[in-house]
Amino acid sequence: AVDSGRTEFAEYLKTAFAEGATWADVLEERTRGGLLALMRAYYGFHRTSDGTIAIGGGSLGIRQQIAKVLGLEDRWVTEPGWQPEDGRAHATDVLAQVTSALATRTTAQWMAAFVEAGVPVAPVRMPEQLVDDEQAWANDYFVRLEHELLGGYTVSAPPVKFSETQLAARGPSPVLGKHTREVLGEVGLDDAAVDVLIEAGAVREPAS
């Protein structure tokens, strides 16, 4: 039933926007998907008593763990193969149960409970909060650099990692003209020629 709902919605999307549907129309249509809509309870963003978390119940086993942690009664999860008479009503009811349960405890408390149960979970952070996030630093998403004029500052690290070609933030942004001689030297100009260009105001190097 879930797969058939997904297929029907995917077919609808092929022509929906071309026929003038808005995003609001598309989202409303998606909620009509019965058991497809039920995934919203187990996979997505939910409010806690002090913030928001994201949970990833992408498989039956994970959904069973989520239901166990939250104390839910959902036969669609606990009895594989069971189908409700009204999939949309069942999805609405389960989502309400999940929403209500998660609002009773803090993000940190739910994080601990879900991690112990093996459920993929993470706190939702605003961009302004990410630089203080432990996990972001543990995953090397940021790096501290030292600028010769500005002092220490934080920048985003390369967003991808490769097994053989390691990417890294090699240093701070140079001050204007810092590498003038190195760059012009690469194209064959010696120091005397660079001095002439500097005197003429064509290029510059940092003030000493």
Side-chain angles (χ1 to χ4, degrees):
V2 174
D3 187 63
S4 63
R6 182 197 64 76
T7 302
E8 290 172 8
F9 184 65
E11 286 296 318
Y12 162 79
L13 286 177
K14 289 179 179 179
T15 58
F17 290 113
E19 294 174 355
T22 65
W23 272 109
D25 296 330
V26 169
L27 293 175
E28 182 178 354
E29 179 67 24
R30 193 171 192 272
T31 65
R32 297 194 184 105
L35 293 183
L36 178 63
L38 185 53
M39 287 298 295
R40 171 68 183 83
Y42 294 100
Y43 200 110
F45 304 101
H46 294 278
R47 290 287 302 272
T48 65
S49 66
D50 67 348
T52 303
I53 60 173
I55 55 176
S59 68
L60 175 60
I62 297 297
R63 291 193 288 273
Q64 289 174 338
Q65 289 299 99
I66 293 172
K68 183 177 179 180
V69 170
L70 296 178
L72 298 181
E73 293 295 333
D74 181 4
R75 293 178 64 188
W76 180 67
V77 165
T78 59
E79 301 176 27
W82 177 82
Q83 302 290 318
E85 291 185 7
D86 187 334
R88 185 178 182 186
H90 183 72
T92 300
D93 177 60
V94 173
L95 178 58
Q97 289 186 58
V98 171
T99 300
S100 177
L102 287 172
T104 63
R105 299 171 67 182
T106 67
T107 293
Q109 289 171 324
W110 285 122
M111 286 285 298
F114 283 130
V115 168
E116 183 178 355
V119 174
V121 62
V124 175
R125 304 295 193 203
M126 297 298 287
E128 294 82 358
Q129 296 174 301
L130 283 177
V131 74
D132 298 316
D133 187 84
E134 257 182 53
Q135 185 175 357
W137 282 98
N139 284 309
D140 299 322
Y141 294 150
F142 298 105
V143 63
R144 288 289 293 176
L145 298 174
E146 193 72 25
H147 193 276
E148 58 189 276
L149 297 181
L150 303 177
Y153 67 109
T154 300
V155 298
S156 298
V160 295
K161 297 180 184 296
F162 299 109
S163 59
E164 295 184 13
T165 304
Q166 295 301 315
L167 304 180
R170 293 179 293 179
S173 301
V175 296
L176 182 62
K178 182 176 180 64
H179 300 120
T180 294
R181 291 187 182 275
E182 289 90 330
V183 171
L184 294 179
E186 289 179 3
V187 296
L189 298 184
D190 59 20
D191 281 345
V194 174
D195 287 337
V196 171
L197 292 175
I198 292 174
E199 282 292 327
V203 298
R204 63 177 294 180
E205 58 183 350
S208 55

